[in-house]
Amino acid sequence: KKGNYDYYMQKEIHEQPDSLTTTMRGRLIRGGGDNVKGVLLGGLKDHLRTIRRSRRILFIGCGTSYHAGLATRALVEELSGVPVTMELASDLLDRQGPIYREDTAFFVSQSGETADTLQALEYARSCGALCVGVTNTVGSAIARGTHFGVHINAGCEIGVASTKAYTSQIAAMTMIALALGEDTLSSRSRREAIIDDLFNLPDNVKEVLKLDYDMKNLAQELMEEQSLLVFGRGYNYATALEGALKVKEVALMHSEGILAGEMKHGPLALVDETLPIIVIATRDATCSKQQSVIQQLQARKGRLIVMCSKGDADLMCPNGGCRVIEVPQLQDCLQPIINIVPFQLLAYHLTVLRGFNVDQPRNLAKSVTTS
Ligand code: F6R
């Protein structure tokens, strides 16, 4: 079943152009003739008005699934105008945080069986909230326990580290954001640009997968390191957290994703000539702030690896001296799907080089069914 690949994780990383295509199949309307460009999500279409009228939307999940929510939070807020609160399922349960009948709670889970997410669902239902599932497993406990939902259709994911499910979750939640946003004149060009780039997504993921060899080289350079920091912000704060999670869970290397806006509030103290730092600085509304982060890190002789949009290497790293990862550029809200791929490849190669089990990392289970 692994075909030409040595490991499921490797196979699942490389099949993302296909899994993303399946996630979007039959759900995107190209426009033209009498058709307005748009999305059609069967599970959601009868409930859109209710969700738009909610007082608040909650994204609830664990691990990678939480990160997928974080990556799409800003777009849902932008297009729907409804504030989105992020909740790690275990923390919501620990706090017994308030949830109201006027809330809509989205439960994001690849397996649909994660104990904390499932318990958070039971809790939210008991509070009277409208509960929506975003899962990859038809008939799973979360798919059954929610009022309705969206299947991400990424196909079965076997590697314990989530890869293709993450990118499909973001694609599915981007379509949810588009469905929730009303097609107003002022938002039309933005909506159409996102839909066009959803169509362009599989080809761009194919393109970024060509970095495989470069990421293997980078892994060779980093394989003896103790630690790796990842700085991101805006749409790519999620990429920083998820990239660091991939490295720590499979390569068993300490790695930390940091919101770049927090750099001066502590993390800057760690910077020296030896600690490797990846800065995500692809083109979007926050990239001039990332430029200044890079300058400040360079001033402290940080060992930088900069991820930027194709052609931006000189702009983002004018003094040279840093390693650059150039990636294809899409609409800002879809960039997390592109930007995570080099991290997945890096984590995979680091794991192989360090001699650890790729598909079954130490101490971890694919589906966490106990709290
Ligand atoms: C990381 C990973 C975990 C899961 C988390 C939630 O690669 O796989 O962090 O994302 O255990 O699992 P699901 O999505 O099945 O609820």
Side-chain angles (χ1 to χ4, degrees), residues 20-71:
L20 285 162
T21 302
T22 324
T23 300
M24 296 185 291
R25 181 164 296 142
R27 291 168 159 178
L28 290 181
I29 303 157
R30 260 187 201 282
D34 291 338
N35 292 330
V36 178
K37 248 179 220 178
V39 299
L40 186 67
L41 294 168
L44 236 63
K45 70 177 191 336
D46 296 333
H47 309 279
L48 293 172
R49 280 169 55 109
T50 320
I51 303 175
R52 278 180 205 138
R53 281 204 297 256
S54 19
R55 179 158 105 174
R56 154 178 91 142
I57 289 172
L58 294 105
F59 283 166
I60 303 171
C62 304
T64 293
S65 295
Y66 172 86
H67 296 158
L70 192 60

Side-chain angles (χ1 to χ4, degrees), residues 40 104 131 294:
L40 186 67
T104 300
C131 296
I294 292 167

Side-chain angles (χ1 to χ4, degrees), residues 56 58-62 66 86-100 103-109 112-133 141-142 145-147 368 370-371:
R56 154 178 91 142
L58 294 105
F59 283 166
I60 303 171
C62 304
Y66 172 86
M86 295 301 309
E87 290 286 359
L88 284 163
S90 62
D91 186 51
L92 177 67
L93 292 167
D94 290 347
R95 292 182 355 256
Q96 296 284 294
I99 295 193
Y100 303 100
D103 288 337
T104 300
F106 284 80
F107 295 84
V108 188
S109 174
E113 302 291 345
T114 300
D116 284 331
T117 312
L118 192 54
Q119 279 169 32
L121 166 59
E122 282 158 15
Y123 171 67
R125 277 196 82 130
S126 74
C127 298
L130 183 66
C131 296
V132 189
I142 290 169
T146 39
H147 293 109
V368 184
T370 52
S371 313

